[in-house]
Amino acid sequence: METWRKQPAATRRLPSLEGCCCRFRVQRHWQWQQMIEEPLGVHAFCNQSGLPRFHAIFCPEPGEEEFLGCFETPEAAASAWDARAREAEWPVANFPQDEEESQTLLLDKFTIYRSRGFPYPPSDTAWRQEQLKGLLKVNLTELWRSEEQVDYENSADDLCWSFHPHGFEVSKTRHVSKAGPVLKPSALETFESNAGLMKSLRTCVERCGDPSCSPKTVREECRFHDDSMVFQGGGSWIANFPALVAAALFRRFAPGGVVYDPCAGWGGRLLGARLGGVKKYIACEPSAQTFDGLQEFAQLLAPLDVELHPCGSEDLDLTEQVDMAFTSPPYFNTEWYSDEQTQSHIRFPTVEKWRAGFLQPTLSKMAAAVRPGGHLLLSVTKRRSHRRAGLDLEADVQQMVSELGLVQEPTLRMQRAGSADARPIYVWRKRKT
Ligand SMILES: C[S@@+](CC[C@H](N)C(=O)[O-])C[C@H]1O[C@@H](n2cnc3c(N)ncnc32)[C@H](O)[C@@H]1O
């Protein structure tokens, strides 16, 4: 697809701009009018000598900024941004070239979304059944790039969110101050702020190549952005484990078997169990709202036998032996699913307490539930904020599970097509004797 972006018309506004040309990070905040008028990724400045300068900033992932350079002309900055967008295979396209037309388009979409409200995924039974029918046709074998690499495939996310509209109200932790956690705005809060909605609409067009600003793209962009006047992601991108990947894993490690998921979350692994041909899915989920959503989801997934427990996984001793235990646990306090006392990071509020009170017992109960010869799988990734707080989830889970006597097998990688970002899935086998 052809990559194109509107050339910035920033020069005429320069006399009113403040700030200086900094080397790595743009400090200037946008004004409301600039949000509407200026294209994504190019920021205009006066440097200390009063000369106009243009930074190209690319945001490959929520909260991440890549500084592409400081340029003398807006065109040069825009073309650096274009080149980077092409390299990342962003389908940037079709923004009206006429400035007035593009502003009208954004303002029209803004008015429509303001009057309609947040674009939740559909929740009617016919739509859900249709989605499931389509997903059941996916060839899971084709997701495996190699023995150890599986494609990150998240096209089933909407069906999961359809049962969990409250997921759009969940916030990620920005940082933890002495007074407590400082949270990022949820997708709903970003949508409700004018800056957040306008940024999301703009990136629907410029980043995602969707000039129609479809409900799906708008809600994804509201998860990406925060509600500030800066174009840098920073929103609450709440992850759902991709159901098709879960299905490929279940098909490989427990075809027709019984599986246990101690932290069910948004239902990616529940749906994966149905798609991967599992006979019975057992899970814990302590959040009352999420538990209700999963119960409703389970009704769609017959003939899958579903057994859900409304409690923390640190408290559940399964009596049934399972072929595979698999989860992606909460990453301590990274995401604030609810304020209930049963949430692992609320019940165990320090890293040390959480490790000893939640992580260790959850892993040992998973290991105890697996039959001899069965498998235990975990999807965890590193986070910079955790390392600062003394938590290295990847190292911790590897040490804990190995100490439980399970044999570690080659780590699998879940990789987005065309991206260098590969997430590990750790695998262990329980000895037969
Ligand atoms: C599955 S985890 C992490 C998200 C992950 N990226 C995913 O979807 O696979 C999220 C879930 O863990 C749940 N949770 C929180 N505390 C828990 C606990 N003590 N035991 C089990 N699950 C818990 C939360 O309510 C939330 O729904």
Side-chain angles (χ1 to χ4, degrees), residues 121-290:
S123 57
D124 58 283
T125 308
W127 179 85
R128 288 170 169 173
Q129 281 170 341
E130 199 53 36
Q131 294 289 305
L132 178 62
K133 213 164 111 192
L135 291 166
L136 283 164
K137 289 186 191 143
V138 174
N139 183 343
L140 298 175
T141 317
E142 286 176 3
L143 292 185
W144 290 100
R145 287 283 154 132
S146 69
E147 267 293 288
E148 284 160 21
Q149 191 185 324
V150 59
D151 270 351
Y152 181 94
E153 219 303 354
N154 66 347
S155 58
D157 267 12
D158 271 354
L159 181 55
C160 297
W161 293 125
S162 151
F163 293 93
H164 299 292
H166 62 287
F168 297 102
E169 290 166 39
V170 171
S171 286
K172 273 189 130 82
T173 306
R174 194 183 293 284
H175 61 266
V176 180
S177 75
K178 280 192 183 138
V182 177
L183 302 181
K184 295 179 178 180
S186 66
L188 186 63
E189 285 165 332
T190 292
F191 177 88
E192 283 171 352
S193 89
N194 287 344
L197 177 57
M198 186 50 88
K199 276 191 290 190
S200 302
L201 293 171
R202 183 172 269 292
T203 55
C204 276
V205 182
E206 294 191 27
R207 189 172 88 95
C208 310
D210 178 6
S212 71
C213 298
S214 67
K216 182 177 172 59
T217 320
V218 172
R219 66 178 169 265
E220 296 289 290
E221 291 308 287
C222 287
R223 292 168 71 202
F224 180 90
H225 289 296
D226 66 11
D227 53 0
S228 73
M229 298 291 276
V230 195
F231 260 119
Q232 59 171 24
S236 290
W237 187 271
I238 303 297
N240 175 30
F241 192 87
L244 285 163
V245 176
L249 295 169
F250 287 137
R251 175 73 56 85
R252 176 153 157 187
F253 292 100
V258 179
V259 300
Y260 172 48
D261 177 357
C263 316
W266 312 113
R269 286 173 295 276
L270 167 63
L271 174 57
R274 169 71 179 88
L275 303 176
V278 160
K279 187 173 78 178
K280 182 172 182 185
Y281 171 90
I282 308 170
C284 295
E285 175 48 61
S287 151
Q289 253 182 318
T290 308

Side-chain angles (χ1 to χ4, degrees), residues 13-31:
R13 281 189 295 280
L14 273 178
S16 65
L17 293 177
E18 288 174 5
C20 62
C21 178
C22 55
R23 208 172 141 71
F24 292 116
R25 205 182 145 81
V26 172
Q27 303 294 349
R28 180 177 65 83
H29 286 217
W30 286 57
Q31 302 298 313

Side-chain angles (χ1 to χ4, degrees), residues 239-241 261-269 284-287 290 311-314 327-331 335 337-338 342-345 347-348 358 362 379:
N240 175 30
F241 192 87
D261 177 357
C263 316
W266 312 113
R269 286 173 295 276
C284 295
E285 175 48 61
S287 151
T290 308
C311 63
S313 49
E314 66 276 22
T327 203
S328 173
Y331 300 169
E335 296 175 343
Y337 305 107
S338 84
T342 45
Q343 286 294 304
S344 66
H345 67 280
R347 186 171 179 193
F348 307 107
F358 167 75
T362 294
S379 162

